[in-house]
Amino acid sequence: MEFVILVVLFFSFAKFDAVRYDLQDDVHVLRTITVNKNGRGDFRTVQQPIDAVPSNNALWIRIQINHGIYIEKVTIPQDKPYIILEGDRKHLTVIEFGDAGSVVNSPTFKSLADNFVAKNIVFKNTYNRLIKPDRNGRQTTWAPAAAIAGDKASFYHCSFISLQDTLTDAKGRHYFYDCNIQGAIDFIWGNGQSIYEKCQIKSLAHKLGQNGGYITAQGRERPEEPTGFVFKDCHVSGSGSIFLGRAYRTYARVLFSGTYMENIIAPEGWSEWEIKPVDSITFSEAKCRGPGADMSRRIPWEKNLSDDEIIYLTNIASFINQDRWLEKQPH
């Protein structure tokens, strides 16, 4: 048995070393590895090439995933930085699984390492396809599609689909561009320092059978923390009444700027949840459009940020990219 394991490991790493060197946009990509579930690549699953990446690697490694549905949990551990997961540009590349009940153990995808890039991938938790009440009558539970806890992570043209806690934006600086995020309860939550630019935010609150859901649950805990969620030039759509957010921690900070909102936003806009008093919460909107952006009935403690504050938060360079880490990633 030991001999068989050694042979398997040898050939796995042999495949890893044989793949080609690459260069993209003046950023060195050391290797490109292919994944094809039908066996026409270097590996059949997404987790296999991640496991083969050496610990504490210092150069970018691209994992090119052929289109199809990969039913598996995928984790990028903390000691595996500089990984790119890239799906097919023309056909869907889906990573999905159906686990629930834990924000730590249930995510379909977890990225714990610094310096990570994902492109053209659908991350999905399928647990909530059929909603069955538990013994307390609750219809949903934690079922994250993805959990991001490393610093300097970027996502381009990706989708995150679930019902509750869809995207755990836990900690670190993150950039989401042209991504699709769907859910009903706290479906973008955590204490990340993140900009969502030109993203599609879709409410599935009609599936709850209750009055309303929540897009965000931001968890900033102290006033000196630089964290917060910024939605820049996004589009909020879907069905069922939904709040823009509720305060997960005392100094929660969320800004919607230049965003089009369809007529699904609860008139109050925001909820303090269990935070009292509300003076420490920074929930704000700036130059948003659409029928859902009517602020005439918003909660009285919504912050009216100054122009300088809005410019600081919506500017990628000042809010998340002070050390120009985005320019150092392959695009």
Side-chain angles (χ1 to χ4, degrees):
M1 177 63 71
E2 291 180 0
F3 174 78
V4 172
I5 293 172
L6 287 172
V7 169
V8 170
L9 288 173
F10 173 81
F11 279 103
S12 293
F13 279 95
K15 279 186 175 182
F16 184 84
D17 290 334
V19 292
R20 71 181 185 274
Y21 286 76
D22 207 347
L23 184 67
Q24 181 173 325
D25 293 345
D26 297 322
V27 177
H28 287 281
V29 177
L30 178 64
R31 298 179 175 95
T32 292
I33 308 167
T34 60
V35 175
N36 188 307
K37 61 184 299 183
N38 297 320
R40 294 189 292 271
D42 299 306
F43 295 93
R44 289 178 178 268
T45 74
V46 179
Q47 189 64 50
Q48 286 173 331
I50 295 170
D51 292 342
V53 170
S55 295
N56 302 310
N57 54 295
L59 292 173
W60 288 99
I61 295 170
R62 179 188 292 110
I63 299 173
Q64 189 78 47
I65 309 169
N66 192 54
H67 66 86
I69 299 175
Y70 296 81
I71 303 175
E72 58 177 305
K73 281 186 177 182
V74 175
T75 298
I76 297 179
Q78 191 173 4
D79 65 346
K80 301 285 181 83
Y82 297 105
I83 287 178
I84 308 159
L85 290 187
E86 187 166 350
D88 194 303
R89 293 184 180 182
K90 296 182 179 179
H91 306 282
L92 284 179
T93 300
V94 182
I95 301 173
E96 68 176 39
F97 205 79
D99 195 9
S102 169
V103 294
V104 175
N105 300 316
S106 299
T108 299
F109 173 74
K110 290 192 288 188
S111 179
L112 309 178
D114 295 346
N115 294 296
F116 171 76
V117 177
K119 304 178 183 180
N120 310 315
I121 297 176
V122 177
F123 302 99
K124 187 174 184 179
N125 192 314
T126 60
Y127 171 78
N128 287 307
R129 282 180 176 171
L130 297 175
I131 302 174
K132 297 181 180 180
D134 64 17
R135 62 185 181 182
N136 297 314
R138 294 174 300 190
Q139 289 186 303
T140 59
T141 189
W142 307 293
I148 316 302
D151 190 30
K152 295 180 283 190
S154 60
F155 297 81
Y156 303 87
H157 321 299
C158 290
S159 293
F160 304 86
I161 302 172
S162 184
L163 199 61
Q164 181 167 344
D165 298 337
T166 302
L167 175 56
T168 304
D169 190 344
K171 63 179 180 178
R173 293 169 293 171
H174 308 146
Y175 179 60
F176 299 83
Y177 181 82
D178 186 32
C179 290
N180 181 299
I181 308 161
Q182 302 182 23
I185 301 176
D186 305 338
F187 63 95
I188 303 171
W189 78 284
N191 195 21
Q193 183 178 345
S194 303
I195 288 182
Y196 296 79
E197 185 171 10
K198 298 185 186 301
C199 291
Q200 296 78 49
I201 313 299
K202 185 175 182 180
S203 166
L204 304 177
H206 67 282
K207 294 186 177 182
L208 297 176
Q210 61 187 47
N211 292 330
Y214 304 88
I215 295 174
T216 65
Q218 210 281 325
R220 186 166 169 252
E221 297 184 352
R222 299 181 302 277
E224 65 271 18
E225 285 187 304
T227 56
F229 298 159
V230 175
F231 297 87
K232 180 180 178 181
D233 301 331
C234 294
H235 188 118
V236 180
S237 65
S239 56
S241 175
I242 199 158
F243 288 81
L244 295 171
R246 58 180 175 175
Y248 179 54
R249 290 292 185 264
T250 306
Y251 288 89
R253 179 163 64 173
V254 181
L255 167 65
F256 282 83
S257 175
T259 292
Y260 187 91
M261 301 178 184
E262 295 187 2
N263 193 26
I264 59 169
I265 307 302
E268 305 93 324
W270 309 88
S271 169
E272 75 275 19
W273 203 353
E274 299 175 350
I275 304 300
K276 305 286 185 183
V278 297
D279 294 347
S280 60
I281 301 171
T282 301
F283 287 159
S284 186
E285 301 165 69
K287 298 181 180 179
C288 293
R289 312 175 311 282
D294 180 1
M295 298 179 63
S296 62
R297 296 168 60 190
R298 293 291 197 256
I299 43 93
W301 44 269
E302 180 173 11
K303 290 288 194 302
N304 184 19
L305 299 179
S306 68
D307 290 343
D308 287 345
E309 289 173 314
I310 293 169
I311 289 171
Y312 170 79
L313 291 171
T314 57
N315 187 296
I316 294 171
S318 58
F319 186 53
I320 63 170
N321 194 37
Q322 303 92 333
D323 55 355
R324 298 178 64 84
W325 61 270
L326 275 169
E327 287 80 358
K328 299 172 185 176
Q329 292 190 339
H331 294 294

